[in-house]
């Protein structure tokens, strides 16, 4: 870990906040995609089975 | 193969399926390399100390905040001119990614600004135009969810996107238009004299490439989701009518 000196809080907060936001958009996109794929597969299954 | 063939949702899904894992993996690799390089293996700035490490997140996020709006503008124009649904969905899909990038740029800028300028926020041309761009992103997303008819929603959000483009351009060039305020001019330049030192430049270049690929991967994932949701909606309507 590099010595961040007197700005350690600012640098850590900037990285933590950015990673949290990037993680949130990646997770939201992935989970919404999974749900849409599952729901569509179920709807197409119902359609095939009449 | 014509570019317009991607306007066919089935074709778009087929072509983009292998691209998503490739773009995701490559973006993760570049982000890890760029951020580890910048955070652990570059020196502090002689004036800004260790806060210069915020640069590796702030600059790529700000760049993508503006470019995401550019991608939305392109999608909106194609929708308005050629009425291709996939292009409207690409614009819709890019907005949440763009707003995240804008928020990262605003957040890291405020955290960086406090020790360097003595304030979290100032009504500086670039900061203010970025805040307005952020509000445009929120308005754009709210408009999509507020209108039930997808074609009307695409029409109105496309017009909003055209109007908001003024602020996307201002966000980039505000410092040049109004030579005042706290925010410095562009950190990166093709002019070697004006560019940041190479030791900071190369890692930020890698991080920027990582952000671009992450944006593309997320937009593809979200566009594919929108296409699936449209198909699901159509099937559900058919079920109800049967």
């Amino acid at each position: 870990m590099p010595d961040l000196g007197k700005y350690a809080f600012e640098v850590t907060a900037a990285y933590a906040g950015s990673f949290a936001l990037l993680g949130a958009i990646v997770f939201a996109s992935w989970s919404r995609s999974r749900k849409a794929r599952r729901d569509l597969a179920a709807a197409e299954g119902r359609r095939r089975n009449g | 193969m014509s570019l317009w063939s991607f306007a066919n949702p089935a074709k778009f899904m087929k072509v983009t399926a292998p691209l998503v894992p490739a773009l995701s993996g490559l973006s993760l690799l570049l982000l890890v390399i760029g951020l580890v390089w910048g955070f652990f293996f570059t020196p502090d700035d002689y004036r800004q100390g260790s806060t210069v490490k915020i640069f590796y997140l702030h600059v790529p996020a700000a760049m993508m905040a503006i470019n995401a709006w550019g991608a939305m503008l392109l999608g909106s124009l194609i929708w308005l001119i050629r009425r291709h649904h996939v292009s409207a969905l690409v614009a819709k899909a890019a907005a949440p990614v763009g707003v995240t990038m804008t928020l990262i740029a605003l957040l890291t800028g405020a955290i960086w600004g406090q020790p360097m300028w003595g304030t979290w926020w100032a009504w500086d041309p670039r900061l203010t135009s970025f805040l307005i761009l952020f509000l445009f992103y929120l308005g754009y997303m709210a408009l999509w969810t507020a209108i039930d008819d997808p074609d009307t929603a695409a029409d109105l959000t496309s017009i909003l996107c055209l109007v908001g483009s003024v602020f996307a351009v201002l966000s980039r060039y505000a410092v040049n238009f109004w030579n005042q305020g706290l925010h410095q001019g562009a950190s990166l330049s093709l002019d070697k004299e004006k560019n940041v030192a190479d030791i900071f430049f190369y890692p930020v270049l890698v991080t920027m490439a990582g952000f671009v690929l992450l944006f593309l991967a997320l937009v593809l994932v979200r566009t594919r989701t929108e296409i699936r949701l449209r198909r699901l909606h159509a099937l559900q309507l058919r079920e109800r009518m049967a």
Side-chain angles (χ1 to χ4, degrees):
Chain A
M1 185 75 181
D3 178 18
L4 299 174
K6 61 180 178 175
Y7 300 124
F9 172 76
E10 284 83 356
V11 176
T12 311
Y15 273 75
S18 301
F19 288 152
L21 286 167
L22 286 176
I25 187 68
V26 168
F27 178 76
S29 306
W30 175 75
S31 63
R32 194 159 172 263
S33 163
R34 240 175 77 126
K35 185 176 183 311
R37 192 187 300 210
R38 203 174 47 226
D39 292 351
L40 182 59
E44 283 182 334
R46 283 196 301 275
R47 182 170 165 246
R48 269 195 301 273
N49 299 329
Chain B
M1 185 169 58
S2 160
L3 178 70
W4 303 117
S5 63
F6 291 102
N8 178 332
K11 177 97 179 171
F12 182 88
M13 294 297 276
K14 190 176 167 212
V15 171
T16 57
L19 287 178
V20 172
L23 287 171
S24 306
L26 201 54
S27 74
L28 184 66
L29 183 70
L30 289 173
L31 284 174
V32 169
I33 292 172
L35 290 174
V36 167
W37 185 359
F39 192 87
F40 291 98
F41 300 107
T42 59
D44 290 352
D45 180 68
Y46 76 105
R47 275 183 304 189
Q48 304 185 57
S50 63
T51 62
V52 74
K53 295 184 190 302
I54 298 173
F55 174 69
Y56 305 109
L57 287 166
H58 180 74
V59 170
M63 173 192 77
M64 286 320 299
I66 299 168
N67 290 351
W69 195 275
M72 287 160 58
L73 175 66
L74 188 64
S76 300
L77 285 173
I78 294 173
W79 164 255
L80 289 173
I81 297 165
R82 305 220 26 168
R83 313 301 284 179
H84 289 321
H85 286 90
V86 173
S87 66
L89 294 180
V90 167
K92 182 183 183 185
V97 189
V99 81
T100 306
M101 298 297 177
T102 313
L103 202 52
I104 292 173
L106 286 169
L107 175 80
T108 52
I111 294 173
W112 198 356
Q114 214 291 325
M116 293 302 107
W117 299 337
T119 181
W120 301 96
W121 179 261
W123 295 102
D124 161 286
R126 179 168 277 188
L127 273 66
T128 308
S129 55
F130 242 87
L131 179 65
I132 296 173
L133 180 66
F134 175 68
L135 296 175
F136 261 97
Y137 268 118
L138 295 184
Y140 179 90
M141 291 189 298
L143 195 55
W144 263 109
T145 51
I147 301 167
D148 284 336
D149 179 59
D151 284 5
T152 311
D155 282 340
L156 295 179
T157 52
S158 295
I159 300 297
L160 183 66
C161 186
L162 293 182
V163 178
S165 298
V166 174
F167 288 93
V169 173
L170 272 182
S171 307
R172 173 67 184 80
Y173 295 104
V175 204
N176 306 350
F177 293 156
W178 297 291
N179 194 18
Q180 57 186 23
L182 289 171
H183 201 288
Q184 68 193 61
S187 307
L188 306 179
S189 169
L190 291 174
D191 182 350
K192 196 130 177 98
E193 295 276 307
K194 293 179 187 165
N195 202 17
V196 292
D198 285 352
I199 202 160
F200 302 119
F201 179 61
Y202 293 122
V204 86
L205 213 56
V206 177
T207 316
M208 282 162 73
F211 267 75
V212 170
L213 295 185
L214 177 66
F215 171 77
L216 292 175
L218 286 172
V219 170
L220 285 187
V221 168
R222 298 185 74 91
T223 306
R224 290 166 60 80
T225 302
E226 292 298 333
I227 291 171
R228 287 196 176 104
L229 290 175
R230 285 263 172 118
R231 168 93 180 132
L232 176 65
H233 184 63
L235 288 178
Q236 286 170 339
L237 277 179
R238 259 188 238 171
E239 277 176 14
R240 269 181 235 146
M241 290 170 76

